[in-house]
Amino acid sequence: MTQDAFALAALRPATSPLVAVAMVGAALAVGIYLVAVIDALVAAAVAGRSTTMRRQLALPFQRAARLLLQAPTTTEHPDAATSALASASLAALAAGGLVVVPFDRRLVVADVADGIVLFGAAMALVMVAVYLHGWSPNSAFPLIGGYRFVAQALSYEMPIALVLIGTALPAQSLSVAAIVDSQHSLWNVVRQPLGLPVYLIAVAGLAFWGPLATPDAADLAGGTTAESSGPPRLAWTMARAAVLVSASAMGAATFLGGWWGPLLPGPVWMGVKTLALSSVVILAGHLLARVRLERFVTVAWALLIPLALLDILEGGLLALVAR
Amino acid sequence: MAAYGAAVTVVLASALAFGVLVWWGRVLGGGSTASPAMATPPERVPFAGGMSPEFHAWNRYHVRYYAMALLFLAFDMEMVFMYPWAVVFVREGITALMEMAMFIAILLLGILYAWREGALRWA
Amino acid sequence: MGIRAVLTRLAGGAPQPVFAVAGEGGLPALRRLALVEGIELVSTPRAASTLLIVGRIPDALNDPLRQIHDQLARPRHTVVWGEQSFSPLPRATLVAPGEDPIPALGQRDRDHEAGEAPAMPDADPHPWRGVGPYGQGGRGMTGGTPFGRALTGRADDRDGLTLDQLPLAVGPFFPALPSGLVLHVKLQGDLVQDVSVGENPFTRRPGDPPLPAADLALFERALSEPVPIAALELARAAHHLWWLGQALAVHGLAALGHRAWRLAADVADVADGPAPFHAAEALSRRFDRLEIAVRCSRVLSWAIAGADSEGHGLPLAVVASRGLGPVARAAGQHEDARQLDPAYRALGFQPVVHSQGDTASRWRQRLAEIRQSLQLAGAAAEAQGPTSTPSGLVESPRGPITPAGHGPSHALMSLVADLVRGLEWGDAVAAVTSLDLDMAEAARPVGAGVAV
């Protein structure tokens, strides 16, 4: 089994930097746009507003134009370097997580042997990016938002890492491309049913979306975004959507069989599966209230981690039996 | 190695792209009259509903969940050991499973202790 | 520049972000505006370019409002939709109370070049002060006042540590709190260690212009003349639904909150209109669906249950004795002025009561009261339906009122400080939201009152 993995890897050529940047950039750009459209559609449906598809398709561009034309603001004594660094690094981390995800059998930017570890490292640093975004304006409510997110980040780190390790067991490799290859007979969502729900909850925490939108909460007057306006505000919104897209793509690759699928080409299937996972998180965002952080932390440690460990146990036993 | 190079390139390119977006937006948003440097002091007051704050917001924030952070450190180390274990697991067979199960059981006792001692509740 | 023109045309299609501020008598009009599709009410002035002032702003709120105006992103515009010109912001566009403000808002929005200048003087509020000619020397570690503002001092914490404590005045226009409520909090981390409620800025002084129509005008009318019960109950349901929408938005369910507001607007339209109160049936069914969505959110119930019910917050007896209306009934008090009315008794009215007295109880209480009001309205839905018996006491949505005294919010305000002390910020906001305060009503004297 390991020999096959190496043989398949040999078929994948190394991508040139220009192609790499173009691929990831295009994937993120399309993903961010579609996430914005789906979010607006779901919001309109839940609110009972009637709206046309055409209006919703144009709306992300119109909102972006409005933000680009608005003037940026600063506070009295902010930390200018970290405030510039926050949105840029959040987007960069999202892109960094996406580089290890294969879009097709031979189409992956960075087929590293430990793709899951690289993804985990990128997602761990999201905590730093969001915290800096809250700390840099030197304002009370963004600061509270930043510290809230640190508690949340420390709690979702473990479940997300553990369920991804669970998917690595049948593939005997930490490389995401190998994990996708190992799902040619059966998707991991069927083999390890506990994995995807735990993963989705952790993704909601990672992208601070919906029930876990604690750093940018309404009771903090917008939290870390309370002092941002104009292009920096747009950059933050886009970066957050990029994190959601990147984590959903990883979930599609590790749980939903990646580019495997009949009829349609691989990248299309990846896109469909990524959007499906993003839509689940977006829907939860409009139907579930924002959690009370203490309660979420208790749930993450006392429920999600044991579930993830159970998932690993079950996946491991199945992998041994299937050997 | 080339793979890591591609990864680093993408990361730096995205950071650069977002930096350019913000800079271009500032230029677009009206140039010098809208530049943050031209803002008057009242425009720069942090928002707290209309009153002007008396102190800097930066302070030695009481991070009440420090006990949970220590628990996280322990589990982070467990995670580090599980990564290589996952790769050799099938090859090593049932003994690998038993050994990891013992390791995890000890750490789960740690979670149970922390939970009962109230490390996960801090308000 | 060509790109700028393209962006400007594109931006015209997006909803206009507006930071809205409600003065006296402004809340009902503002709530309707939240439903308009071209307007988006935002939670921080930095996200908006337009400041909308609805209702009368008393003099005590002039300075905070000028501060908020300056905190808007440039180019900034102001629209005043109310009864007077707002002298601190002379360049604002004025809209008369009965008119539609949307055209004025849109017109100012398109006016990209003519943004308003800052309202407050261009002077550093806390300049660097030292002793010597270069600002050096003086008291403190860095001489003078570091960076103009001081760093916070320390205070003891209940954990036995001595850490920094941040005194903060959370101002009159904080979006998650009632308009006009000022909380002087001392935060350690995000825990409110101490809190005091600022003076009510809507307190009336001699020489103030006459009061605008009350938010609860129908209930004040019922003090002296018979009013159809169906209209009263629909107005009550509409009031609670407006509260529900606002509370859902604070808890992160903005879209569901919107749905509640649309239902509230429809219920209010039926209440204000002529007699077809049989529409109450359809409205009741819509509310059923909304209530299922709200109740099914287990996560919401965790958020609401909060620290309030785990030993912090107010003891049940205090809430029961000092609370009014739904707040008291959520704490086990079987007091409802409607049960003294024979017309209500004929319809089989029994007060709804819950026993815990915490935030979750108050939520359940209001949801139950909405359902009860819609059912009563349906039962009283004939054209010559039963009318209320005028006595000196009417149960308004926030509590009982009499012809003399203050509105029910006045008594509820006294609960805020003790309720919030010791809670985390998120729990504090949830608790204050569950009280359903209106600062303008709390300051209203003769004309509406509470049986204290």
Side-chain angles (χ1 to χ4, degrees), chain A residues 52-73:
Chain A
T52 62
M53 192 64 173
R54 220 180 122 199
R55 176 167 167 71
Q56 295 301 333
L57 286 177
L59 207 54
F61 295 116
Q62 291 168 337
R63 285 187 196 265
R66 192 177 265 286
L67 281 173
L68 280 176
L69 288 174
Q70 196 181 48
T73 59

Side-chain angles (χ1 to χ4, degrees), chain B residues 110-123:
Chain B
I111 289 189
L112 190 64
Y113 172 74
W115 189 13
R116 293 297 304 272
E117 287 294 311
L120 302 179
R121 299 175 35 144
W122 63 81

Side-chain angles (χ1 to χ4, degrees), chain A residues 1 165-173 178 182 188 191-192 315-316 319, chain B residues 86 89-90:
Chain A
M1 185 66 185
I165 288 174
T167 61
L169 290 172
Q172 297 179 62
S173 164
S182 77
N188 277 335
R191 273 197 293 225
Q192 297 172 5
Chain B
F89 171 76
V90 174

Side-chain angles (χ1 to χ4, degrees), chain C residues 262-316:
Chain C
R262 288 183 60 245
L263 183 56
D266 291 341
V267 171
D269 285 338
V270 173
D272 292 337
F277 296 131
H278 49 264
E281 274 299 310
L283 295 170
S284 199
R285 276 197 298 279
R286 275 173 66 186
F287 176 66
D288 288 345
R289 289 200 292 271
L290 177 63
E291 194 191 358
I292 288 174
V294 171
R295 280 192 188 279
C296 277
S297 179
R298 293 298 309 160
V299 178
L300 180 60
S301 61
W302 293 344
I304 296 167
D308 207 7
S309 45
E310 289 165 13
H312 300 274
L314 286 174
L316 180 62

Side-chain angles (χ1 to χ4, degrees), chain B residues 28-30 33 38-43 45-53 55-56 59-62 64 122-123, chain C residues 4 7 45-46 67 70-71 74 76 118 121-122 147 149-150 154 157-159 163-164 166-167 171 173 188-190 424:
Chain B
L28 212 55
T33 55
M38 303 294 295
T40 67
E43 291 180 12
V45 168
F47 175 64
M51 306 284 257
S52 180
F55 297 99
H56 281 291
N59 62 79
R60 282 167 296 188
Y61 193 99
H62 186 15
R64 294 167 194 278
W122 63 81
Chain C
R4 203 179 152 78
L7 285 178
R46 311 271 189 203
Q67 177 69 70
D70 285 352
Q71 285 171 332
R74 299 191 202 202
R76 59 176 76 86
D122 184 0
F147 289 118
R149 287 204 199 278
R154 301 195 296 177
D157 182 66
R158 65 187 181 192
D159 288 354
L163 295 169
D164 282 2
L166 178 67
F173 301 121
Q188 203 166 59
D190 66 345
E424 270 191 324

Side-chain angles (χ1 to χ4, degrees), chain C residues 140-162:
Chain C
M141 278 173 58
T142 54
T145 312
F147 289 118
R149 287 204 199 278
L151 292 170
T152 64
R154 301 195 296 177
D156 284 329
D157 182 66
R158 65 187 181 192
D159 288 354
L161 306 166
T162 308

